[in-house]
Amino acid sequence: NFAWKDARVRIGMRRSINYQGIAEFLSSKTEFEANGIPVEISTMTHVHQNPAYWLNPDTGELGEAGQNYTFNVAEAKKLMSAAGHNEPVHLPYYVNTTGTLPDAEQLVFNSLKEAGTFNVDLKQLPANEYRVTINVDGKYDGTQMQRGASGNDIDYVLFRDYHSSRIGGVAFPDPKIDALAEAQRREPDYERRVAIIKEIQVYLAQNMLMNPGRSLYTRFSFRWPWLHNTSYNGAALATITVGQGVARNPDLGGYRQWLDGAMPNRDRPV
């Protein structure tokens, strides 16, 4: 009889993690914006941010339920107390590593631990055991590190994560979410289906059947446009044997790269 069978405890967990602060740190928001480069951060909810139906909790589109996504330790403790837990609840926290946690995951773990609403117990498993036991079979008694959000089709996500027909079952079977997931699948009218998907989002925000992971934020990449042919990988030069197979070596063939004539100062001595 786990404490997190109570929706108030699940919401308390969500409100105990400073996802906004973590996103600001990981995105270097302060440094970028100090140099005139804006960084947008968007709260991760229970469905993908498809503009056709996604409701943004930060702009009030989820109503009062949107508050359940916000970091607030005082409110989290009120919820825990209302659920009958005035002391930190023991919470196993499963991760797929036996070494150092990835930075992003360490930040989530630290935030949850520092809130004091849960007594977080780190459980590190080898990748193969984690994948089968935790991800596939779902045989664990706590929470797991953020899982990749594979698949962006709303119907696929609903039946993978929330519908009780999922192979192996779901953590919190719920007849209403089953009915709503089935209703949006059957609905041929676009506007009516969108309305059902929006109703699903409100219900999930109110009940937190799954705790959405880290916030999304603007990412940047930089390219050096004057260096060409960097992906050259001639088969005759760039193959090395690895075990029973063949792998490409991107360093071989590097002499075939060149600098574009438009590169500024290309003739200036270094």
Side-chain angles (χ1 to χ4, degrees), residues 138-213:
K139 295 179 179 178
Y140 63 99
D141 57 347
T143 189
Q144 61 166 298
M145 65 187 294
Q146 176 165 306
R147 186 175 66 193
S150 60
N152 57 12
D153 177 78
I154 182 62
D155 181 76
Y156 170 77
V157 170
L158 290 174
F159 279 81
R160 178 195 65 184
D161 292 340
Y162 307 112
H163 196 276
S164 60
S165 65
R166 172 181 169 172
I167 297 175
V170 291
F172 309 106
D174 188 308
K176 182 168 182 177
I177 202 66
D178 280 1
L180 288 169
E182 293 164 11
Q184 64 79 33
R185 172 174 281 188
R186 292 192 303 263
E187 181 53 66
D189 181 84
Y190 176 79
E191 294 296 337
R192 287 200 290 267
R193 183 176 183 233
V194 166
I196 296 170
I197 295 171
K198 290 182 177 180
E199 183 180 353
I200 288 170
Q201 292 175 75
V202 174
Y203 187 74
L204 289 173
Q206 292 170 336
N207 292 275
M208 209 64 63
L209 298 178
M210 183 177 289
N211 194 326

Side-chain angles (χ1 to χ4, degrees), residues 14 17-27 39-45 49 54 56-58 69-71 104 108 146 211-219:
R14 170 71 194 196
I17 303 173
N18 187 5
Y19 283 114
Q20 176 74 18
I22 290 169
E24 290 182 6
F25 176 79
L26 292 175
S27 66
V39 172
E40 296 182 8
I41 293 177
S42 183
T43 299
M44 177 68 77
T45 63
Q49 297 189 6
W54 185 65
N56 186 349
D58 299 329
Y69 292 106
T70 61
F71 174 62
V108 173
Q146 176 165 306
N211 194 326
R214 296 186 299 274
S215 300
L216 304 176
Y217 53 83
T218 307
R219 295 176 182 271

Side-chain angles (χ1 to χ4, degrees), residues 12-19 22 71 73 76-77 87-93 101 104-123 143 211:
M13 185 187 301
R14 170 71 194 196
R15 304 203 71 174
S16 296
I17 303 173
N18 187 5
Y19 283 114
I22 290 169
F71 174 62
V73 175
K77 289 183 175 179
E87 297 296 329
V89 170
H90 179 253
L91 178 67
Y93 190 102
L101 286 180
E105 199 61 38
Q106 185 70 60
L107 290 169
V108 173
F109 178 83
N110 290 349
S111 183
L112 183 56
K113 193 174 185 68
E114 291 167 5
T117 46
F118 292 87
N119 178 19
V120 193
D121 181 12
L122 187 64
K123 303 285 188 181
T143 189
N211 194 326

